Amino acid sequence: METTCRLHSTESFGALDGPGIRFVIFLQGCPLKCKYCHNRDTWDEFGGQVIELEDILQKINHSIPYIKSSNGGVTVSGGEPLLQANFVLELFKVLHQKGIHTCIDTAGSLPITRS
């Protein structure tokens, strides 16, 4: 169970990253370095800050009235959020238990490991 992530920033009142009003989490790190990337400052895998799952959930809790009243939710973006897939999975489990809609904005880039 992954309970920390490398966070770039959050947006508490997003209207462009999914239906309704969204709490948007921008995770740090992306290996793709796309030419027209909107979030180049998230590329560095060692940038940002390490933050606990509980701290992210506390931030989200402040936005729940807006999220619920607009049929919104939480979007995880980046960088490439799948670089921190275990954290995103744990976050989404908690949010789904609370009945909060989730989205992930990804290019589908997963780290490849050999077993």
Side-chain angles (χ1 to χ4, degrees), residues 26-40:
F26 296 94
L27 295 182
Q28 191 71 38
C30 185
L32 300 175
K33 313 232 181 326
C34 299
K35 186 173 184 177
Y36 297 106
C37 179
H38 290 241
N39 300 329
R40 289 176 179 236

Side-chain angles (χ1 to χ4, degrees), residues 20-114:
I21 296 169
R22 316 291 302 176
F23 187 94
V24 186
I25 300 167
F26 296 94
L27 295 182
Q28 191 71 38
C30 185
L32 300 175
K33 313 232 181 326
C34 299
K35 186 173 184 177
Y36 297 106
C37 179
H38 290 241
N39 300 329
R40 289 176 179 236
D41 51 335
T42 65
W43 289 359
D44 180 5
E45 292 181 39
F46 303 103
Q49 63 176 329
V50 175
I51 189 167
E52 295 284 335
L53 176 62
E54 282 301 317
D55 294 331
I56 291 278
L57 292 170
Q58 284 180 356
K59 290 175 180 260
I60 293 168
N61 282 339
H62 294 295
S63 298
I64 286 179
Y66 303 108
I67 289 170
K68 295 277 187 177
S69 67
S70 70
N71 293 315
V74 173
T75 299
V76 179
S77 189
E80 176 48 70
L82 293 182
L83 291 180
Q84 301 182 66
N86 291 333
F87 174 82
V88 174
L89 178 62
E90 294 303 320
L91 173 65
F92 280 10
K93 284 179 185 177
V94 173
L95 295 175
H96 290 173
Q97 289 172 351
K98 294 181 176 209
I100 297 174
H101 180 267
T102 57
C103 289
I104 187 165
D105 185 2
T106 176
S109 178
L110 287 169
I112 297 174
T113 58
R114 292 185 171 199

